[in-house]
């Protein structure tokens, strides 16, 4: 039977089964004529609350305020507002406005009528501050970066005599602004129609590397992206079945198509004075998705999903170089189709038995028109004539499992997963990943649950075609995602609740990866993890928690640069620790909370001739955070809250430490430092609540 | 040969499912359910006579407690408390040790998880079409393990607090979020459901879209392509290079360049050279320079997600 026949059968069955299911069980409805609900405190009226205050950070910087926007030593306004209005007829309005004084502000306003329609407007700001201590000699913006007048080019950054005087600060980071409009209309009979229009503006500056052959420079590149997404859809469901169909169109637009930058080095060829780098091209994604599900007899259910995506672009291309006489080869007719089909079955046919399985098929067809282009390498020298490659694949995935509760205290289970991928234009044509596992759930006492899982995973490869390797690539290389693999793994989970107020949890995992046929590339990997949690809630007013974890990852990879076997090796050991503890307490009008979190990472990198490895300085990060919060309810309507946050972050990174703009002979860098901060933050806010009842508060 | 085996397996699977799908028609011949409903005489008024504490009454501040929504349990003609908790007449009429239980929700409620979840799915089938068979269902996670249906604010449905709920079980992922490079979940600016569909999906790891790459490029649209020059693993799976929950390496990378890149690229010349500590500033040996420090390989090959420059086949422009 072909896959198409299978899909036809699946669709037929899915459509047939609901009709049959309708004929099955329909429980008798009670007489509800006397169900007045007279004691039900239905809500109508309005409630609102406003929080206003100030946030004062000390010694804040970009890494501290990365996602909040609190990155300056200044006073920030702490302003939130929430409200809820509802009529007895079911009309309602709801708004949540948070962090209005910060770049990370969010807002959502919803209007509607129960059971009929809803409309929502939303905004979310998402800053991503990365560096505020980077420096560059480049001037200008948009798509053109120039060097200051009087610039002295040289063969190395150290020789650029005007460099030190030309450096000025440039912040690296972006800000996303997400605007949304969503609407839903409940048509009746279980049907709904919905639609949304969303816009995301992402602006800022990012680090972009570029080079003139082996002379490299880090550029402060502009980010001016806009993504508009429109979606419409319809859905239907009843107690046993559901359908959902959506269409969406997403357009990505980059306001800066290319970045031109002056060559700070002595040009390797006389005319190589300027470089040009293509920034992400405008693109469009059109997506259709269909989902259906139904309940089947014997406590079973099935669902079907189908998805079709079309990715396109037709951006005008730059000339192959900035050298005189270079002509653009036109535009690239990019056209990729993605398809996804899946069928899921789940069943609990008899008490204690749980069966589940899924078959899915994914396909990527790159129908882009191939282009053959004679390259000019980094705007300097003629290179090879190369034809673009279309990467296609088909991916079948089957997974399933069965669990059976043998006794009240023991559940056993097995499962398997197989993924087969056929690719084009890649050195390995076929990979088949398989995983087989067994697991146990032990519940010797109701307070104790232990989960154990163990298994093996393998990857087999076929169809290796060394002719597809890039020129001068070592034929012994095995790209690790396409290499034969054998993995052993084991997982442990346990929860114990010796009393109603105490709970403990433990999770651990262990895995060993062996790339046994790999001579050059990643040859082995191992991971160990352990996490533990503790919770104690002696009273409703008092609770404590603590948790901690450890993780170790080790990889071994071999490389070579001339011989037919591995000559050098890299041994990488990464370790992580984390711990946190805290509690909450309320008493009358008083509330307090405390949290301490600690996280440390360490990374050892040893590289060298096999048997004679040299160690890099240890990579390390250390994060400590103490949060204290106290609140006092002066009246049911007025609350004052004081928050104190101490955060300390320190890191050592051999790739960044001591690397200034002129340190390296072949890189004019932005001098990005390893992240560090030591911040004390105090926030004082007043919360006032008003309306006809207690407004829902933002979860804290 | 292998494809033939797969086809055969598909044939068996397809036919078995077709047979299963047609079985309900047979089941329709089964005798009807008894006429006694077992419901209380006065619905919620009966229940609230005893269960009048604020935690229970908070349901009237939720979507479930709206009388004007015909779909809600308290909508006109609906079964009120008994819509979720099941027929309660016997429960209301018994006391003490002989108290007949109703359906209760939560891990320690005594009601089988599958029974609890079926109650929820009776109305929310459209929200969770792929529920049965997904990892949460297979591990006996109940809806109430994550959701607080009686609470005016359900923390798992709030972006800022959702991660705390998910972290109660997914401790490893929570620990990853404490690593230096992470998505802004702990900062409350992103929710787990930005990437994952906890009610089930047909992709690995309960992703919201069909593949890893489609999920990631849902937000990172600049990497969506298609590009003139593609980087093959980018078209396949972003997690070949990135750890989405957190990493001590920059940009959520599994290992830092150049070593990450050298796990796949050993081209004669600088890509296959051993970059040792001698290449550090003041290291005394051959300089590592741009090949090793700052961004490593991406100091030159910055377009690792794809290049649209005619001379960008090496992802340098």
């Amino acid at each position: 039977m072909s896959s198409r026949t299978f899909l036809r059968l699946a669709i037929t069955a899915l459509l047939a089964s609901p009709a049959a299911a309708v004929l099955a069980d329909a429980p008798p409805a009670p007489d509800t004529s006397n169900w007045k609900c007279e004691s039900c405190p239905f809500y109508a009226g309005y409630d609102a609350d406003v929080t206003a205050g100030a946030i004062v950070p000390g010694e804040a910087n970009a890494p501290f305020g990365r996602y909040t926007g609190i990155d300056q030593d200044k006073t920030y306004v702490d302003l939130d507002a929430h409200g809820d209005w509802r009529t007895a007829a079911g009309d309602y309005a709801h708004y949540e406005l948070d962090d209005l004084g910060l770049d990370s502000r969010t807002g959502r306003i919803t209007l509607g009528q129960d059971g009929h329609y809803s409309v929502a407007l939303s905004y979310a700001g998402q800053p991503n501050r990365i560096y505020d201590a980077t420096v560059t000699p480049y001037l200008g913006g948009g798509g053109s970066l120039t060097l200051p007048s009087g610039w002295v080019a040289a063969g190395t950054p150290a020789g650029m005599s005007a460099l030190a005087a030309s450096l000025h600060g440039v912040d690296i980071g972006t800000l996303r602004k997400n605007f949304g409009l969503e609407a839903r209309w409940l048509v009746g009979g279980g049907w709904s129609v919905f639609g949304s229009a969303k816009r995301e503006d992402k602006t800022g500056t990012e680090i972009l590397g570029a080079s003139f052959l082996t002379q490299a420079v880090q550029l402060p590149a502009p980010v001016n992206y806009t993504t508009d997404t429109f979606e419409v859809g319809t859905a239907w469901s009843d107690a046993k079945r559901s359908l959902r169909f959506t269409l969406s169109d997403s357009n990505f637009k980059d306001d800066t198509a290319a970045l031109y930058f002056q060559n700070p080095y002595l040009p390797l060829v006389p005319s190589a004075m300027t470089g040009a780098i293509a920034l992400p091209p405008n693109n469009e994604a059109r997506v259709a998705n269909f989902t259906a599900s139904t309940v089947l007899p014997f406590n079973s259910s099935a669902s079907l999903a189908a998805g079709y995506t079309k990715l396109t672009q037709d951006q005008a291309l730059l000339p192959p170089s900035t050298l005189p006489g270079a002509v653009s080869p036109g535009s690239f007719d990019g056209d990729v189709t993605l398809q996804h089909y899946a069928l899921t079955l789940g069943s609990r046919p008899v008490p204690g038995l749980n069966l589940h399985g899924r078959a899915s098929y994914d396909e990527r067809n790159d129908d882009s028109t191939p282009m053959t282009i004679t390259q000019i390498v980094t705007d300097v020298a003629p290179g090879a004539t190369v034809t673009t490659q279309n990467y296609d694949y088909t991916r079948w995935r089957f997974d399933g499992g069965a669990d059976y509760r043998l006794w009240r205290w023991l559940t056993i289970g097995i499962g398997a997963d197989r993924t087969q991928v056929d690719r084009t234009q890649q050195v390995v044509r076929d990979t088949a990943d398989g995983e087989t596992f067994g697991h146990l759930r032990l519940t010797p006492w109701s307070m104790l649950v232990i989960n154990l899982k163990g298994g093996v995973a393998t990857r087999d490869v076929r169809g290796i075609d060394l002719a597809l390797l890039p020129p001068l690539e070592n034929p012994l290389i095995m790209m690790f995602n396409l290499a034969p693999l054998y993995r052993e793994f084991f997982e442990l989970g346990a929860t114990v609740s010796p009393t109603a107020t105490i709970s403990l949890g433990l999770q651990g995992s262990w895995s060993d990866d062996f790339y046994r046929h790999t001579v050059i590339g990643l040859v082995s990997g191992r991971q160990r993890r352990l996490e533990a949690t503790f919770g104690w809630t002696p009273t409703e007013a008092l609770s404590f928690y603590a948790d901690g974890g450890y993780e170790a990852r080790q990889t071994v990879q071999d490389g070579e640069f001339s011989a037919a076997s591995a000559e050098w090796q890299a041994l990488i050991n990464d370790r992580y620790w984390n711990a946190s503890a805290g509690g909450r307490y309320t008493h009358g009008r008083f509330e307090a909370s405390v949290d301490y979190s600690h996280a440390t990472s360490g990374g050892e990198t040893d590289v060298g001739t096999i048997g004679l490895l040299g160690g890099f300085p240890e990579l390390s990060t250390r994060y400590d955070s103490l949060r204290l919060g106290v609140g006092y309810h002066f009246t049911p309507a007025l609350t004052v809250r004081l928050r104190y946050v101490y955060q300390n972050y320190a890191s050592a990174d051999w790739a960044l430490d001591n690397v200034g703009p002129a340190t390296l002979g072949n890189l004019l860098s932005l001098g990005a430092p390893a992240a560090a901060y030591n911040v004390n933050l105090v926030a004082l806010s007043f919360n006032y609540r008003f309306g006809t009842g207690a407004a829902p508060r933002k979860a804290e | 040969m292998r494809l033939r085996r797969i086809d055969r397996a598909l044939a068996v699977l397809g036919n078995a499912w077709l047979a299963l799908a047609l079985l309900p028609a047979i089941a329709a011949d089964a005798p009807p359910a008894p006429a006694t409903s077992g419901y209380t005489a006065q619905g919620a008024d009966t229940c609230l006579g005893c269960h009048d504490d604020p935690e229970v009454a908070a349901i009237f501040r939720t979507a479930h407690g709206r009388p004007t929504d015909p779909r809600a349990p308290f909508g006109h003609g609906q079964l009120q408390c008994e819509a979720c908790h099941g027929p309660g007449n016997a429960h209301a009429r018994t006391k003490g040790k002989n108290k007949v239980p109703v359906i209760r929700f939560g891990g320690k409620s005594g009601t089988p998880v599958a029974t609890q979840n079926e109650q929820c799915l009776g109305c929310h089938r459209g929200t969770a079409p792929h529920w049965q068979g997904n990892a949460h269902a297979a591990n006996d996670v109940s809806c109430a393990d994550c959701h607080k249906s009686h609470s005016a604010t359900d923390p798992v449905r709030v972006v800022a607090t959702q991660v705390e709920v998910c972290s109660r079980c997914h401790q490893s992922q929570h620990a990853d979020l404490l690593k230096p490079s992470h998505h802004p979940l702990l900062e409350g600016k992103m929710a787990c459901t930005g990437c994952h569909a906890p009610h089930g999906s047909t992709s690995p790891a309960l992703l919201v879209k069909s593949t890893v790459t489609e999920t990631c490029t849902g937000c990172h649209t600049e990497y969506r392509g298609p590009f003139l020059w593609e980087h093959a693993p980018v078209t396949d799976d972003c997690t070949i290079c990135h750890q989405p929950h957190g990493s001590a390496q920059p940009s959520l990378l599994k290992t830092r360049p150049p070593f990450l890149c050298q796990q796949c690229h050993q081209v004669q010349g600088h890509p296959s050279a051993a970059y040792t500590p001698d290449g550090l500033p003041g290291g005394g040996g051959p300089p590592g320079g741009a090949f090793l420090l700052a961004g490593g390989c991406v100091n030159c090959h910055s377009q690792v997600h794809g290049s649209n420059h005619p001379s960008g086949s090496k992802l340098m422009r």
Side-chain angles (χ1 to χ4, degrees):
Chain A
M1 184 174 73
S2 72
S3 53
R4 285 187 181 175
T5 312
F6 166 73
L7 286 171
R8 272 199 295 271
L9 266 176
I11 293 167
T12 308
L14 195 69
L15 295 174
S17 54
V22 162
L23 301 173
D25 49 345
D31 175 10
T32 59
S33 56
N34 286 324
W35 292 25
K36 307 292 186 191
C37 219
E38 288 170 342
S39 54
C40 300
F42 293 121
Y43 171 69
Y46 75 95
D47 287 298
D49 74 308
V50 176
T51 300
I55 302 170
V56 184
E59 299 185 51
N61 63 2
F64 171 77
R66 181 169 185 181
Y67 293 131
T68 61
I70 302 174
D71 62 343
Q72 307 277 325
D73 275 348
K74 67 177 190 181
T75 300
Y76 291 86
V77 173
D78 185 5
L79 186 61
D80 304 334
H82 309 124
D84 207 3
W85 169 83
R86 177 171 292 280
T87 69
D91 299 303
Y92 64 89
H94 181 76
Y95 63 89
E96 295 175 6
L97 310 172
D98 290 305
D99 299 326
L100 296 180
L102 306 176
D103 276 353
S104 55
R105 63 185 63 87
T106 59
R108 185 176 178 86
I109 300 169
T110 310
L111 306 168
Q113 187 178 43
D114 287 340
H116 292 281
Y117 73 91
S118 67
V119 179
L121 277 169
S122 63
Y123 172 83
Q126 200 174 77
N128 186 11
R129 315 274 205 256
I130 300 175
Y131 296 115
D132 54 7
T134 34
V135 291
T136 181
Y138 280 99
L139 303 171
S144 178
L145 296 174
T146 58
L147 292 162
S149 59
W151 179 257
V152 180
T156 66
M160 298 169 185
S161 57
L163 176 61
S166 306
L167 291 174
H168 60 91
V170 58
D171 292 344
I172 302 299
T174 56
L175 174 63
R176 290 174 189 254
K177 294 179 178 176
N178 293 283
F179 305 88
L181 170 64
E182 299 164 58
R184 176 176 291 270
W185 178 38
L186 302 165
V187 181
W191 284 96
S192 64
V193 179
F194 49 88
S196 66
K198 295 179 181 174
R199 161 165 286 199
E200 179 185 275
D201 290 329
K202 182 178 176 183
T203 56
T205 305
E206 64 178 7
I207 296 178
L208 194 63
S211 69
F212 295 90
L213 288 184
T214 57
Q215 296 173 321
V217 57
Q218 287 187 316
L219 303 167
V223 175
N224 286 303
Y225 305 153
T226 301
T227 304
D228 291 316
T229 304
F230 302 92
E231 183 182 75
V232 293
T234 184
W236 172 85
S237 66
D238 69 4
K240 294 180 182 293
R241 299 146 299 178
S242 72
L243 296 170
R244 182 182 174 91
F245 179 67
T246 58
L247 291 171
S248 73
D249 183 81
S250 174
N251 277 281
F252 167 81
K253 187 168 177 289
D254 186 349
D255 286 347
T256 314
L259 179 63
Y260 292 86
F261 55 100
Q262 274 187 271
N263 186 352
Y265 295 91
L266 285 171
L268 296 169
V269 298
S271 51
M273 301 297 290
T274 303
I277 194 160
L279 298 179
N282 299 345
N283 66 60
E284 182 177 14
R286 282 169 284 165
V287 184
N289 275 315
F290 172 75
T291 301
S293 72
T294 183
V295 172
L296 298 172
F298 309 114
N299 285 320
S300 305
S301 67
S303 66
L304 180 71
Y308 180 90
T309 301
K310 190 82 165 171
L311 304 171
T312 55
Q313 71 128 315
D314 194 14
Q315 177 108 352
L317 298 171
L318 299 174
S321 82
T322 56
L323 298 174
V327 178
S328 165
S331 66
F332 175 54
D333 180 19
D335 183 347
V336 171
T337 303
L338 307 171
Q339 295 181 67
H340 173 78
Y341 305 97
L343 169 65
T344 305
L345 294 168
S347 180
R348 294 176 185 266
V350 296
L353 178 63
N354 178 20
L355 305 169
H356 54 93
R358 178 173 54 209
S360 66
Y361 174 78
D362 289 284
E363 184 176 299
R364 183 182 202 269
N365 280 316
D366 187 343
D367 296 320
S368 306
T369 307
M371 297 183 78
T372 300
I373 301 170
T374 300
Q375 312 257 298
I376 304 295
V377 182
T378 62
D379 296 301
V380 173
T385 298
V386 189
T387 301
T388 58
Q389 292 187 317
N390 296 10
Y391 296 113
D392 298 335
Y393 64 73
T394 61
R395 180 190 291 138
W396 277 102
R397 183 164 186 244
F398 304 92
D399 66 87
D403 307 297
Y404 184 64
R405 197 172 66 238
L406 209 52
W407 294 293
R408 185 199 59 77
W409 57 274
L410 176 64
T411 299
I412 58 172
I414 54 169
D417 183 326
R418 182 174 178 84
T419 303
Q420 181 173 325
V421 187
D422 296 344
R423 300 175 175 85
T424 64
Q425 300 294 330
Q426 298 202 49
V427 179
V428 173
R429 192 189 66 220
D430 297 348
T431 56
D433 287 82
E435 181 178 295
T436 309
F437 60 86
H439 63 92
L440 297 175
R441 174 179 288 187
L442 296 156
T443 317
W445 304 281
S446 61
M447 67 172 192
L448 176 64
V449 180
I450 299 171
N451 284 294
L452 302 170
K453 178 180 177 183
V456 295
T458 58
R459 182 188 300 132
D460 299 320
V461 306
R462 290 192 317 167
I464 296 176
D465 185 354
L466 297 178
L468 290 170
L469 280 174
L472 302 179
E473 178 66 86
N474 189 326
L476 294 173
I477 185 72
M478 270 288 186
M479 299 180 180
F480 78 91
N481 63 309
L482 302 176
L485 166 69
Y486 177 79
R487 171 182 293 159
E488 297 168 344
F489 63 93
F490 178 74
E491 296 170 13
L492 159 72
T495 57
V496 57
S497 307
T499 72
T501 61
I502 293 177
S503 65
L504 296 115
L506 187 70
Q507 282 187 3
S509 64
W510 163 94
S511 69
D512 280 346
D513 291 0
F514 304 98
Y515 298 85
R516 289 174 173 159
H517 299 283
T518 297
V519 178
I520 304 296
L522 185 64
V523 293
S524 70
R526 54 190 275 184
Q527 184 179 21
R528 308 284 185 267
R529 291 195 85 136
L530 191 65
E531 279 92 27
T533 60
F534 166 75
W536 182 34
T537 310
T539 69
E540 281 189 14
L542 182 63
S543 63
F544 299 99
Y545 61 88
D547 57 66
Y550 171 74
E551 180 187 3
R553 290 168 174 257
Q554 184 188 72
T555 58
V556 180
Q557 65 186 90
D558 289 347
E560 78 84 34
F561 48 89
S562 60
S565 61
E567 285 204 338
W568 61 265
Q569 191 168 67
L571 182 63
I572 297 172
N573 277 299
D574 291 328
R575 298 175 309 285
Y576 311 92
W577 299 266
N578 65 276
S580 62
R584 290 174 185 272
Y585 176 64
T586 57
H587 180 72
R589 296 182 174 190
F590 177 77
E591 63 186 30
S593 64
V594 59
D595 175 87
Y596 172 73
S597 295
H598 167 83
T600 297
S601 72
E604 294 169 1
T605 309
D606 297 287
V607 185
T609 306
I610 293 175
L612 200 64
L613 305 186
F616 280 82
E618 185 173 20
L619 297 164
S620 70
T621 65
R622 181 187 169 109
Y623 167 81
D624 290 283
S625 165
L626 174 67
R627 295 170 181 271
L628 299 172
V630 292
Y632 186 76
H633 301 278
F634 284 108
T635 69
L638 181 63
T639 302
V640 61
R641 288 193 175 87
L642 179 66
R643 190 158 53 96
Y644 168 74
V645 178
Y646 168 74
Q647 282 192 11
N648 179 273
Y649 184 83
S651 61
D653 187 334
W654 49 256
L656 300 177
D657 292 337
N658 306 313
V659 178
T663 305
L664 306 178
N666 56 355
L667 176 67
L668 172 56
S669 83
L670 287 166
Y677 54 81
N678 188 52
V679 175
N680 289 279
L681 179 149
V682 177
L684 178 68
S685 64
F686 293 86
N687 175 267
Y688 182 68
R689 313 173 77 184
F690 54 97
T692 54
R697 285 192 297 176
K698 178 185 171 187
E700 293 172 359
Chain B
M1 187 66 179
R2 182 186 292 167
L3 284 173
R4 222 174 292 150
R5 278 206 301 272
I6 291 171
D7 264 3
R8 235 177 279 145
L10 286 175
V12 172
L13 192 61
N15 288 326
W17 192 40
L18 186 59
L20 268 177
L22 296 174
L23 273 170
I26 301 166
D29 291 335
T36 51
S37 69
Y39 288 89
T40 57
Q42 293 180 304
D45 287 330
T46 306
C47 307
L48 293 169
C50 297
H51 301 285
D52 58 349
D53 48 305
E55 285 185 9
V56 173
I59 198 162
F60 296 103
R61 297 301 301 263
T62 73
H64 284 143
R66 291 174 188 162
T68 45
D69 189 342
R71 305 165 303 157
F74 285 87
H76 179 71
Q78 298 286 3
L79 298 178
Q80 301 174 1
C81 309
E82 291 159 272
C84 303
H85 292 281
N89 192 37
H91 175 78
R93 290 172 178 273
T94 52
K95 290 182 178 177
K97 287 182 184 175
N98 298 322
K99 192 78 174 172
V100 174
V102 290
I103 294 171
R104 296 179 65 207
F105 296 88
K108 295 175 181 173
S109 70
T111 302
V113 168
T115 305
Q116 294 178 42
N117 292 349
E118 273 308 309
Q119 289 298 103
C120 304
L121 289 168
C123 293
H124 296 283
R125 183 78 54 189
T127 311
H130 308 297
W131 173 257
Q132 201 165 7
N134 89 53
H136 284 142
N139 283 290
D140 269 349
V141 175
S142 77
C143 304
D145 285 334
C146 304
H147 290 285
K148 290 183 180 297
S149 58
H150 273 260
S151 174
T153 304
D154 186 1
V156 81
R157 300 190 66 199
V158 177
V159 170
T161 52
Q162 185 185 83
V163 67
E164 292 173 20
V165 180
C166 302
S167 298
R168 290 204 296 256
C169 294
H170 299 281
Q171 295 161 19
S172 301
Q173 286 75 14
H174 182 262
D176 283 346
L177 295 174
L178 288 166
K179 292 175 181 173
S181 178
H182 61 267
H183 280 109
L185 282 96
L186 290 183
E187 290 79 3
K189 302 303 170 192
M190 183 180 172
C192 306
T193 47
C195 301
H196 297 284
H199 299 126
S201 84
T202 55
S203 51
L206 299 180
L207 293 174
V208 292
K209 296 198 175 178
S210 304
T211 63
V212 173
T213 303
E214 286 180 80
T215 302
C216 301
T217 56
C219 292
H220 301 283
T221 46
E222 65 268 35
Y223 303 139
R224 191 164 57 191
F227 290 94
L228 179 65
W229 305 102
E230 305 266 20
H231 189 190
V234 177
T235 65
D236 197 342
D237 185 341
C238 304
T239 61
I240 291 171
C241 298
H242 296 281
Q243 296 185 115
H245 294 118
S247 169
Q249 315 301 341
S251 303
L252 296 167
L253 290 173
K254 287 182 166 177
T255 301
R256 73 177 45 213
F259 308 110
L260 175 69
C261 308
Q262 289 182 315
Q263 290 177 0
C264 292
H265 301 288
Q266 291 281 313
V267 177
Q268 196 177 62
H270 74 267
S272 63
Y275 292 103
T276 68
D278 291 345
L280 295 172
F291 304 121
L292 173 67
L293 301 172
C297 305
V298 297
N299 289 325
C300 299
H301 302 273
S302 58
Q303 306 296 74
V304 288
H305 296 104
S307 169
N308 220 52
H309 191 288
S311 297
S313 66
K314 298 290 183 189
L315 308 178
M316 297 169 78
R317 278 290 190 266

